[in-house]
Amino acid sequence: RVLQNCNLISVDLTQMQIDDGDFKVIVEALPTSQLEYLNLYNNYIRSQGILAFAAQLPKIQCLKEVNLGLNFWEQDAEERQDCWAALLQGLRENYSMVRLVADVYRDNPLQPLVDYYFCLNQAGRRILTTSSDVPLGLWPLLLQRAGRRRE
């Protein structure tokens, strides 16, 4: 309810002992929240929480950055790959996310595709979902933004 009834844009929940059940409650609120930055570093989130988050990604409209580093979902290689595959699937239909922090991010074979969707979102991919034509004068700006890496 807190995320739904306010204009929070950033929440830091570092080391708050958040587990899958807690994370699922947070995830369910994200599609209707204005939250842009969510830090869940060093908690107890496992693969079930990540899979729930990935399933909600297509519905999330404001969230730009999430830190999921140092959580249990990264410990088992097979589960980690399932999580990354689900995250990639969710990112295909998400137009806001531009960054995901995870400890094993660079060891992920799906990382180039994940980065691809982040880059598209950074460039303004959302504009392509509008029913009207994109003004020709806007294309240079979109293409310029697509070439920028977000650090």
Side-chain angles (χ1 to χ4, degrees):
R1 276 195 180 263
V2 170
L3 294 178
Q4 294 172 334
N5 296 327
C6 69
N7 292 323
L8 283 175
I9 58 169
S10 180
V11 173
D12 187 345
L13 299 172
T14 300
Q15 297 180 342
M16 296 296 291
Q17 301 178 357
I18 292 172
D19 61 15
D20 283 343
D22 301 324
F23 188 41
K24 287 178 183 180
V25 171
I26 293 168
V27 163
E28 289 173 11
L30 290 175
T32 58
S33 79
Q34 300 298 311
L35 198 64
E36 294 180 9
Y37 307 99
L38 179 60
N39 188 351
L40 292 157
Y41 182 78
N42 196 10
N43 280 287
Y44 303 131
I45 300 169
R46 296 183 180 276
S47 60
Q48 292 305 310
I50 300 300
L51 296 175
F53 173 64
Q56 288 285 22
L57 274 172
K59 301 174 193 168
I60 296 171
Q61 297 180 16
C62 294
L63 192 63
K64 293 179 182 180
E65 296 184 21
V66 177
N67 186 338
L68 293 169
L70 205 58
N71 276 283
F72 293 144
W73 73 280
E74 299 178 296
Q75 292 177 352
D76 180 87
E78 188 174 324
E79 284 186 21
R80 183 173 60 237
Q81 283 309 112
D82 292 344
C83 289
W84 278 112
L87 287 166
L88 178 61
Q89 184 62 36
L91 284 171
R92 287 184 173 134
E93 297 179 45
N94 173 280
Y95 302 102
S96 65
M97 288 281 297
V98 295
R99 188 166 184 232
L100 174 68
V101 177
D103 292 333
V104 293
Y105 187 75
R106 295 292 167 210
D107 295 332
N108 168 21
L110 298 176
Q111 177 251 326
L113 286 172
V114 170
D115 282 346
Y116 171 75
Y117 286 106
F118 288 157
C119 198
L120 287 177
N121 289 348
Q122 178 69 28
R125 174 168 73 135
R126 180 181 304 216
I127 199 165
L128 299 176
T129 64
T130 63
S131 58
S132 59
D133 291 336
V134 177
L136 290 177
L138 192 54
W139 281 107
L141 175 64
L142 292 175
L143 294 172
Q144 179 186 18
R145 286 173 60 185
R148 273 194 236 141
R149 277 253 190 249
R150 194 171 164 103
E151 300 300 327

